Amino acid sequence: MTEYQTLTAADTVVRDGTIKLHGPEAFEGMRRAGRLAAETLDALVPLVQPGVTTAELDAFVRQFTLDGGAVPATLGYRGYAHSCCISINHVVCHGIPSDKTLKDGDIVNIDVTPLLDGWHGDSSRMYLVGDVALKARRLIDVTYECLMLGIEQARPGNRLGDIGAAIQRHAEARRYGVVREFCGHGVGRLFHDAPEVVHAARAGTGPELRPGMFFTIEPMINLGKPPVKLLEDGWTAVTRDRSLSAQFEHSVGITETGCEVFTYSPKGLDKPPY
């Protein structure tokens, strides 16, 4: 049976399997953190070009986050040594920044999580590098559509499974694979918390969505089959069939009437091409 915990601003938060329900002060904290995440991703738009290294992009994210009064939540998280994740082409998620140079035709996901005043703003977005093939552009469009269809289901009284069912139905109708090994998650004062938000599910199943819940929706959609594998570095996940993969992520909060998206771009740059 799902357990919910109503929090006040003074409560100590621990990862104990309960789904946290937050009040107005928490919503305001998530708005600030989410806006900084979106502004970070906006600022990257002119920088994601052929010839730039992912390490250079990571350094920019680190400085932009610090300048915004926050720290990158990934820096030092479980030994991770970078300020964001950058996943190129067939890398599904958790790509490690390095001296690797972006090339014309690449598609890139950049995932940032500034920790601002105790709140995590978690968001990722796809970027197109130079002249990108039509099949890759279509994959990105459908992945974005999957995210937004999932968000439409994020309202009180629905179940978590309704989100995954909407995403799976849209992707598989277009013969794309929906990654099962990774999912969205509760977020707030903790980086990763309950509930798990799977992106392939049966409608009407899973915990009930209640006002005050915070979580991410972050579908990973493959041009080929769903399975992924983890590389020896312990972080980088790639498609087993080497097909392209795309992902978008927003952090949301359930309200009395629907949901609030904390990580929308203030410049309207959530969906490429920008």
Side-chain angles (χ1 to χ4, degrees):
M1 182 176 178
T2 302
E3 292 187 21
Y4 298 83
Q5 179 184 4
T6 301
L7 296 176
T8 68
D11 287 334
T12 300
V13 181
V14 296
R15 186 173 182 178
D16 56 7
T18 63
I19 296 176
K20 282 52 170 195
L21 303 179
H22 301 84
E25 289 184 18
F27 272 82
E28 183 55 38
M30 286 298 289
R31 288 183 193 115
R32 293 193 301 269
R35 184 179 179 89
L36 180 57
E39 289 173 344
T40 305
L41 295 175
D42 285 356
L44 285 164
V45 171
L47 305 181
V48 180
Q49 300 289 343
V52 71
T53 69
T54 55
E56 290 171 326
L57 297 175
D58 182 67
F60 176 85
V61 169
R62 180 184 293 108
Q63 193 59 52
F64 192 93
T65 305
L66 294 173
D67 289 346
V71 295
T74 57
L75 193 58
Y77 181 77
R78 297 182 179 177
Y80 192 76
H82 304 276
S83 298
C84 65
C85 296
I86 303 179
S87 304
I88 305 170
N89 295 333
H90 71 291
V91 178
V92 175
C93 60
H94 303 158
I96 300 174
S98 68
D99 292 332
K100 183 177 178 63
T101 301
L102 297 184
K103 297 179 176 57
D104 186 68
D106 285 343
I107 61 172
V108 183
N109 177 272
I110 303 181
D111 189 341
V112 302
T113 308
L115 173 57
L116 179 64
D117 298 329
W119 298 98
H120 293 82
D122 194 358
S123 186
S124 82
R125 202 181 293 176
M126 294 301 297
Y127 298 82
L128 286 69
V129 184
D131 186 16
V132 173
L134 180 60
K135 66 177 182 180
R137 289 175 177 268
R138 181 58 180 152
L139 171 67
I140 289 171
D141 286 343
V142 170
T143 304
Y144 178 81
E145 291 162 4
C146 284
L147 171 65
M148 300 313 293
L149 288 168
I151 288 173
E152 285 181 8
Q153 296 299 317
R155 56 181 183 264
N158 271 9
R159 300 275 175 176
L160 269 177
D162 296 323
I163 295 172
I167 291 168
Q168 182 179 8
R169 181 167 54 248
H170 190 68
E172 292 184 349
R174 286 144 186 85
R175 303 191 178 216
Y176 295 143
V178 182
V179 171
R180 269 71 163 177
E181 287 90 341
F182 297 94
C183 61
H185 51 86
V187 70
R189 280 188 267 173
L190 297 176
F191 192 176
H192 296 98
D193 198 12
E196 290 189 346
V197 184
V198 299
H199 304 116
R202 186 161 52 90
T205 64
E208 179 186 358
L209 301 181
R210 297 184 183 181
M213 290 174 63
F214 296 164
F215 53 85
T216 69
I217 305 174
E218 47 184 299
M220 287 148 270
I221 308 299
N222 297 344
L223 192 60
K225 295 180 180 179
V228 308
K229 66 178 180 180
L230 193 65
L231 299 187
E232 292 182 359
D233 60 34
W235 288 101
T236 309
V238 301
T239 54
R240 284 193 172 273
D241 61 7
R242 302 282 295 183
S243 63
L244 294 175
S245 187
Q247 179 190 22
F248 285 89
E249 175 184 18
H250 276 312
S251 294
V252 306
I254 302 298
T255 67
E256 295 292 338
T257 58
C259 85
E260 178 176 348
V261 179
F262 299 121
T263 46
Y264 274 143
S265 164
K267 294 183 178 179
L269 301 179
D270 299 297
K271 175 183 178 296
Y274 305 126

